[in-house]
Amino acid sequence: MIDPRLIKGTSINRALDSKTSRRSVLKLTAAGSGLVVASRYLTASVAAQVPPLEEKDTYTVGFAQTGSNNPWRLAETKSMKDEADKRGYTLVQTDANEDTAKQIADVDSLIAQGVDILIFPPRESQALAPSVMKAKAAGIPVILIDRDVDHEIAKPGEDYGAFVGSDFVDQGRRAAEWLAEATGGEAKIIELEGTTGADPAIDRKKGFDDYIAGTFKGTPTPEGAFSGMEIIASQTGDFVRDTGREVMQTLLQAHPEVTAVYAHNDEMAIGAIAALQEAGRKPGEDIIVVSIDGENAALDAILDGTLGASVESSPFFGPIAFETMDKYIAGEDLPDWIKVEDRFFDKSNAAEFQGKQF
Ligand code: AHR
């Protein structure tokens, strides 16, 4: 069964973004079984273009993780391992220690070992795309989870089976929408970006920045531009708590007028909150903070009032990744993008989920 935390919502009415228009999109219903598919977006048979995967009793799955330096990564790894164990499959796991060159080498090594399939999150979207092509050339199927690669270099449905993951642009939009409401549309914002070149960092920035500017996925928003909301500084904190804290310390000195922080993940938000407190500022009162992920520590921070809200980005990929692999083996038509629906946490519901996330 698909983890219900991954499959909230069924709406297919949201406008398709530029990514979506190049991709087929499938969303999972709350029941986890019904597949809501816009059939006109379906690609040709998976088997026709990507390496086939024969039906066997068990499989060796290569899982090249980007790192293990935050709760989100640990939860994702555990979810993959739990599902592989449940099925009696062998998960050959590598850890790139958040080093893109190492992840490329890890994928090379998994290809050389002759795993049956690769299921992994590419740390950077351009840098890891050639690794997908290498796997294809070696006859090893690939399913990407959590992060996608650049489609100019490797195409879903042609070069790899599918991308399974969240709508990062929409996550950015949701953070911006909440912040606009919370600040009455008046804010001087510091943006802490994720890893440079990573799919979620690129798209979370786009969704947030575009919404503030009055567009979303290329279409003018009904709300229009928020002329009172200004991004006064935007810098990477690499999705890391300590880096988020250090970057916030530096940016705070340069921009003491800041009234809001948008962090691309909870870890950086928590680091930024610490930096603000150390500087005698009052996160949650004079500076409103919003972020993404929905980890347990973020729910705690929402409840203690220092963090305003967190858009969920679920790390529980094990069940959905292996179900996608089942479909691949069966030669089913896979949509290019199997979209994970995420929830939203703020003070109205944080207590309900406290301690139940990761
Ligand atoms: O790719 C998902 C992002 O990667 C998560 O938001 C972040 O916490 C992680 O490192």
Side-chain angles (χ1 to χ4, degrees):
M1 276 299 292
I2 292 170
D3 187 321
R5 287 170 290 196
L6 278 173
I7 50 175
K8 295 288 163 185
T10 57
S11 167
I12 56 167
N13 296 325
R14 208 173 288 150
L16 297 175
D17 65 350
S18 56
K19 230 179 199 176
T20 317
S21 63
R22 297 200 307 269
R23 297 165 155 181
S24 53
V25 178
L26 172 150
K27 293 183 177 189
L28 298 165
T29 68
S33 54
L35 302 180
V36 182
V37 181
S39 58
R40 69 201 159 99
Y41 296 116
L42 284 176
T43 57
S45 164
V46 165
Q49 292 172 311
V50 291
L53 185 53
E54 63 173 325
E55 212 171 321
K56 301 195 295 183
D57 288 341
T58 188
Y59 294 88
T60 300
V61 178
F63 174 57
Q65 180 54 288
T66 65
S68 51
N69 64 343
N70 76 33
W72 198 99
R73 292 281 137 212
L74 296 174
E76 183 183 50
T77 301
K78 182 175 183 319
S79 178
M80 288 293 289
K81 173 111 182 54
D82 287 352
E83 186 64 22
D85 287 350
K86 202 168 111 188
R87 291 163 169 255
Y89 295 178
T90 303
L91 194 75
V92 184
Q93 190 185 317
T94 57
D95 182 339
N97 199 22
E98 294 303 336
D99 176 341
T100 297
K102 170 141 175 28
Q103 193 184 32
I104 292 168
D106 288 344
V107 173
D108 284 348
S109 161
L110 292 166
I111 292 170
Q113 288 172 54
V115 295
D116 292 312
I117 184 170
L118 278 161
I119 305 180
F120 73 101
R123 183 169 191 271
E124 290 182 48
S125 64
Q126 290 190 346
L128 267 298
S131 302
V132 171
M133 301 307 286
K134 271 193 223 170
K136 182 187 180 188
I140 298 176
V142 173
I143 292 169
L144 296 178
I145 55 166
D146 145 29
R147 297 185 186 180
D148 203 355
V149 290
D150 186 334
H151 293 181
E152 297 297 320
I153 310 172
K155 292 186 172 43
E158 276 181 48
D159 303 317
Y160 60 100
F163 167 62
V164 184
S166 295
D167 185 339
F168 297 132
V169 177
D170 197 50
Q171 291 176 346
R173 177 199 63 83
R174 294 170 83 190
E177 191 176 48
W178 180 88
L179 191 63
E181 176 77 27
T183 61
E186 296 289 329
K188 294 192 183 310
I189 306 159
I190 287 179
E191 181 172 359
L192 297 175
E193 300 174 28
T195 300
T196 304
D199 192 30
I202 296 164
D203 285 356
R204 287 172 185 171
K205 178 167 184 58
K206 182 165 181 44
F208 186 92
D209 293 9
D210 284 0
Y211 182 80
I212 299 286
T215 62
F216 180 63
K217 298 186 176 181
T219 306
T221 59
E223 299 86 355
F226 289 89
S227 54
M229 297 182 80
E230 184 193 353
I231 299 168
I232 54 174
S234 187
Q235 194 173 313
T236 183
D238 209 13
F239 283 133
V240 173
R241 185 184 292 206
D242 286 347
T243 314
R245 180 179 181 157
E246 286 158 19
V247 171
M248 192 67 220
Q249 283 167 347
T250 306
L251 293 180
L252 190 55
Q253 285 182 357
H255 299 282
E257 74 277 22
V258 59
T259 62
V261 174
Y262 165 46
H264 289 192
N265 79 347
D266 290 339
E267 285 292 290
M268 292 190 295
I270 289 166
I273 286 167
L276 291 169
Q277 289 172 327
E278 284 157 16
R281 306 296 290 265
K282 292 192 170 54
E285 292 178 37
D286 60 353
I287 298 180
I288 308 299
V289 186
V290 63
S291 64
I292 295 172
D293 271 358
E295 65 179 40
N296 283 322
L299 297 180
D300 293 346
I302 290 172
L303 290 170
D304 75 22
T306 52
L307 178 65
S310 181
V311 183
E312 183 180 40
S313 191
S314 176
F316 300 110
F317 280 98
I320 193 171
F322 283 87
E323 281 191 17
T324 304
M325 177 180 157
D326 290 341
K327 293 179 172 40
Y328 189 101
I329 294 164
E332 283 183 28
D333 282 336
L334 289 178
D336 295 347
W337 181 8
I338 297 171
K339 195 184 280 195
V340 169
E341 297 293 312
D342 296 307
R343 296 167 295 187
F344 189 90
F345 304 113
D346 62 11
K347 64 177 184 311
S348 71
N349 64 352
E352 184 188 339
F353 298 100
Q354 192 180 27
K356 297 180 184 148
Q357 289 287 95
F358 49 92

